[in-house]
């Protein structure tokens, strides 16, 4: 099963990807996590990406596609994968098609901007391993501490209100057109955001015929 998860920043793509990878037994490929690892390690790609991410802008396509193509060539992606956070533009989607990267379905999580603004203010991420939490929806067992590695939980700069607004504007302008792009290819499966993480997961699995 090869999937793309689409949705605005804060739609819950990362959380759903984690749940789906266990259900479908395929890895989740999060461009955000790959890029953040590069930034933390101070690689040339990471430093290049950092200035764009800090401003809530999109990382250039050549950087993204290169990172993704390398990752999908690894052995654990042989039976499928879930892409979270890419493609973000029509140009990226076309570049991925040219690179021979194919998909079985594209899930689009539908959610209102107002809900996202409320939700993002509660997001926290582990400084060490990149695991995601939410103070209300997916809280850590111990406040401020990662369940997985014991690292410190922080609010990312791109989850701050002004940056969230900028990211939503970019999403509507650059990424939302992908819904039409994949609908024309018969791959789009829109899923309305549900009151809980579990219900949204069930709705996604129904959309996949599971």
């Amino acid at each position: 099963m090869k999937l793309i998860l689409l949705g605005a920043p804060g739609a819950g793509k990362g959380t759903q990807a984690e749940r789906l990878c266990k259900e479908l037994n395929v890895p989740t490929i999060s461009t955000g996590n790959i890029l953040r690892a590069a930034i933390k390690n101070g690689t040339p790609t990471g430093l290049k990406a950092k200035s764009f991410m800090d401003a809530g802008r999109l990382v250039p396509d050549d950087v993204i596609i290169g990172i993704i193509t390398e990752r999908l060539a690894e052995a654990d992606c042989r039976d499928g994968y879930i892409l979270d956070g890419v493609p973000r533009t029509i140009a990226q989607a076309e570049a991925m098609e040219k690179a021979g990267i194919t998909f079985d379905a594209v899930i689009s999580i539908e959610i209102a901007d107002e809900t996202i603004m409320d939700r993002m203010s509660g997001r926290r991420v582990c400084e060490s391993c990149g695991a995601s939490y939410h103070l209300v929806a997916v809280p850590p067992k111990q406040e401020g501490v990662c369940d997985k590695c014991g690292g410190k939980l922080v609010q990312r700069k791109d989850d701050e209100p002004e940056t969230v607004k900028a990211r939503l504007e970019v999403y509507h302008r650059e990424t939302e057109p992908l819904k039409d792009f994949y609908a024309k290819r018969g791959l789009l499966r829109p899923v309305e955001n549900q009151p809980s993480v579990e219900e949204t997961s069930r709705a996604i699995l129904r959309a996949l015929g599971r």
Side-chain angles (χ1 to χ4, degrees):
M1 180 73 77
K2 299 173 180 178
L3 298 178
I4 297 174
L5 283 183
L6 284 182
K13 299 185 297 297
T15 301
Q16 293 303 329
E18 275 184 32
R19 296 172 68 86
L20 282 169
C21 76
K22 288 173 190 161
E23 182 75 29
L24 302 172
N25 200 28
V26 294
T28 295
I29 312 300
S30 164
T31 40
N33 286 348
I34 294 171
L35 285 169
R36 278 190 287 279
I39 288 167
K40 190 177 177 189
N41 296 332
T43 68
T45 306
L47 294 173
K48 194 173 171 185
K50 187 176 189 304
S51 59
F52 289 90
M53 290 172 75
D54 283 351
R57 291 170 60 203
L58 296 175
V59 177
D61 290 352
D62 58 332
V63 179
I64 296 288
I65 302 303
I67 286 174
I68 290 298
T69 305
E70 284 171 16
R71 180 66 186 87
L72 296 185
E74 292 180 24
D76 63 339
C77 293
R78 194 173 51 237
D79 296 326
Y81 43 79
I82 301 164
L83 283 190
D84 165 25
V86 70
R88 283 188 171 169
T89 62
I90 300 285
Q92 284 182 4
E94 289 172 343
M96 289 170 81
E97 282 188 350
K98 280 180 190 159
I101 300 170
T102 60
F103 305 99
D104 299 310
V106 177
I107 295 291
S108 175
I109 301 172
E110 306 294 328
I111 183 168
D113 285 5
E114 297 74 28
T115 308
I116 284 170
M117 292 299 292
D118 288 343
R119 181 182 285 184
M120 298 285 258
S121 63
R123 290 216 313 194
R124 298 294 182 270
V125 68
C126 176
E127 268 185 335
S128 302
C129 75
S132 296
Y133 296 88
H134 190 278
L135 301 183
V136 178
V138 191
K141 289 176 185 143
Q142 185 182 342
E143 189 178 340
V145 179
C146 177
D147 295 349
K148 294 179 181 175
C149 75
K152 182 183 173 189
L153 301 184
V154 296
Q155 184 176 43
R156 291 184 355 221
K157 182 175 171 57
D158 55 1
D159 286 340
E160 292 172 3
E162 285 311 306
T163 313
V164 172
K165 280 183 193 168
R167 291 175 73 203
L168 283 170
E169 283 169 16
V170 169
Y171 168 76
H172 291 304
R173 186 174 68 247
E174 303 278 354
T175 306
E176 210 160 23
L178 283 170
K179 293 200 282 189
D180 280 343
F181 181 88
Y182 286 116
K184 285 172 185 166
R185 285 155 175 74
L187 296 174
L188 190 71
R189 311 277 187 275
V191 173
E192 290 294 329
N193 181 58
Q194 303 296 315
S196 73
V197 168
E198 293 76 17
E199 287 171 88
T200 302
S201 298
R202 283 196 289 273
I204 289 172
L205 289 169
R206 279 197 302 275
L208 294 172
R210 292 279 175 158

